[in-house]
Amino acid sequence: MQGTTIHKGKNCNFAPVVTPVHRAVGRGEAKQTIFFGTPVHIVSANAVVGNKEAQGPLKDFFRRVKDDIKLGEKNFERAEISMFDEAVRASVNEAKPLVGETQLLISGDLLNQMTTSSYAARNFDMPHLGVYSACSTYTEALSLGATLLDGGHFTTVACATVSHFATAERQFRYPLEYGCQRPPYAQWTVTAAGCSVLSTRGAGPVIRAATLGKVVDFGQNDLSNMGAAMAPAAMDTMHAMFRETDSRPEEYDLILTGDLGKLGSDILRDLMREKGYNLGQQYIDCGSLIYSVDQNCYQGGSGAGCSASVINEYVIPQMRAGKYKKVAYFATGALMSTQSCYQGETIPCVSHGVIIEGA
């Protein structure tokens, strides 16, 4: 289908000029899903992780590991900036011989006013778009980057995000020095930065579509129970993607959520079953995957860097190797502020999803 844009000049009495406007549609009309007609390749993908993350089940896949949680910096915030900087430089430098200069950086993080992204962006000679949707920031950046590339506005774009256990805990919950006991349904914020370079040139796995999520609030107000808060948002976006692409879970080699953890993943399975979808064995959550049971991370990992590191260091290489042909990736974000829950507000959440296929 085609929409129309009507252009009228001053004192125009003749029939308007009608120009076709691209509109994303699948087998039925799409309301949340954008389908990309131009192949948007993931030409490079890198992550930097902390020591705890490198001790988990994916330890053999992480290439850049920081044993010092402060990375030799004076504070945790500067360490987070350093991690972000390294991840972006690694991906940009890796992509440069293949597709040339990166023209735009799209990134976000969890700190106030996207502190990490903005401060790190000072060191890169390229335009910067700051985006924020908490732990779903990475899929938001990928969706926006792919849209700009598909529209022909750029040829090469970098998408990045980061989180750090110490900075996130201090901002959203309690300072580490407080020694607060964590409830059994809590998750552990992943210390990791991830960046990928997307391009209409080169080669690599291709982003075929993106489903933009609605903000969903099921009334959860416990800052520690992120999985329960975010699972309904993941369900809403996942259901929209399956419906608007006329696909079923069994058509994907892998279905990933960002950071629901064990509890949130179980809730999502139940919610999707109510919608008529059985996620089956191909579904897994990055938060459940990144830590092992004996690491005492309760329900698993969370944070913007959680799924970014798993996607970049584990899933994308596996797609290049031919293990996975079609992947649906949904990151999830809790959109509360540092004060909203203390003021009695519930937690609004959002999830954005992308479909990635082997080249």
Side-chain angles (χ1 to χ4, degrees):
M1 295 179 62
Q2 298 288 332
T4 59
T5 298
I6 299 176
H7 303 281
K8 293 184 178 180
K10 291 183 179 180
N11 305 315
C12 180
N13 296 318
F14 49 83
V17 177
V18 180
T19 304
V21 177
H22 174 73
R23 190 175 183 184
V25 293
R27 299 174 197 174
E29 184 175 349
K31 296 181 179 179
Q32 294 176 241
T33 304
I34 304 169
F35 297 85
F36 304 119
T38 303
V40 177
H41 298 277
I42 301 175
V43 295
S44 66
N46 290 272
V48 179
V49 303
N51 185 54
K52 190 177 186 72
E53 290 68 27
Q55 295 174 358
L58 301 180
K59 60 184 178 182
D60 293 333
F61 295 92
F62 293 134
R63 296 169 292 171
R64 294 174 177 82
V65 178
K66 303 300 177 182
D67 293 326
D68 177 13
I69 196 171
K70 282 190 176 179
L71 279 72
E73 300 287 352
K74 295 180 179 179
N75 52 57
F76 297 120
E77 285 74 15
R78 291 183 65 89
E80 187 170 331
I81 293 171
S82 179
M83 290 177 59
F84 180 94
D85 185 282
E86 182 175 342
V88 173
R89 290 186 187 279
S91 285
V92 169
N93 291 338
E94 183 180 314
K96 188 173 181 179
L98 305 173
V99 296
E101 297 289 342
T102 299
Q103 300 163 316
L104 174 69
L105 173 63
I106 307 173
S107 68
D109 56 87
L110 302 181
L111 296 191
N112 291 327
Q113 292 86 41
M114 295 181 291
T115 300
T116 301
S117 299
S118 301
Y119 276 59
R122 298 177 301 182
N123 302 322
F124 298 103
D125 185 23
M126 68 181 80
H128 175 238
L129 287 180
V131 295
Y132 181 83
S133 55
C135 300
S136 62
T137 294
Y138 200 50
T139 44
E140 180 181 4
L142 293 174
S143 300
L144 181 56
T147 301
L148 290 172
L149 291 169
D150 184 52
H153 305 290
F154 298 91
T155 57
T156 305
V157 171
C159 302
T161 192
V162 64
S163 59
H164 193 294
F165 172 77
T167 64
E169 290 298 308
R170 178 159 56 194
Q171 175 167 300
F172 290 104
R173 296 181 183 89
Y174 302 99
L176 301 183
E177 296 83 358
Y178 183 67
C180 178
Q181 183 172 345
R182 303 165 69 85
Y185 50 77
Q187 292 171 246
W188 194 275
T189 303
V190 170
T191 299
C195 176
S196 62
V197 172
L198 312 182
S199 182
T200 52
R201 303 170 179 171
V206 176
I207 298 179
R208 295 295 186 189
T211 301
L212 308 181
K214 299 177 182 178
V215 175
V216 176
D217 189 340
F218 270 36
Q220 175 62 245
N221 62 2
D222 188 337
L223 280 171
S224 296
N225 200 351
M226 292 290 95
M230 295 186 294
M235 174 274 292
D236 191 78
T237 303
M238 190 176 290
H239 182 220
M241 178 180 284
F242 290 157
R243 182 181 67 250
E244 294 180 2
T245 60
D246 193 19
S247 62
R248 303 287 301 181
E250 53 269 24
E251 296 177 33
Y252 298 86
D253 299 306
L254 187 65
I255 300 171
L256 284 165
T257 47
D259 42 18
L260 298 179
K262 179 63 169 64
L263 175 61
S265 298
D266 290 342
I267 294 173
L268 176 62
R269 285 184 181 274
D270 289 340
L271 292 173
M272 290 302 293
R273 195 174 294 115
E274 292 176 3
K275 293 289 186 181
Y277 297 93
N278 183 359
L279 296 183
Q281 295 298 314
Q282 60 266 51
Y283 167 62
I284 193 168
D285 180 72
C286 296
S288 300
L289 187 62
I290 198 166
Y291 296 126
S292 58
V293 175
D294 59 3
Q295 287 183 282
N296 297 319
C297 293
Y298 303 85
Q299 295 298 319
S302 66
C306 178
S307 65
S309 59
V310 174
I311 282 286
N312 285 4
E313 295 291 338
Y314 174 67
V315 177
I316 297 301
Q318 295 294 313
M319 295 191 76
R320 288 181 178 138
K323 180 177 180 180
Y324 302 126
K325 299 292 186 182
K326 188 175 184 180
V327 174
Y329 162 39
F330 305 85
T332 52
L335 303 178
M336 74 285 185
S337 74
T338 56
Q339 296 298 319
S340 58
C341 288
Y342 299 118
Q343 296 171 345
E345 290 284 354
T346 54
I347 304 173
C349 299
V350 70
S351 174
H352 304 295
V354 293
I355 295 175
I356 308 172
E357 295 182 0

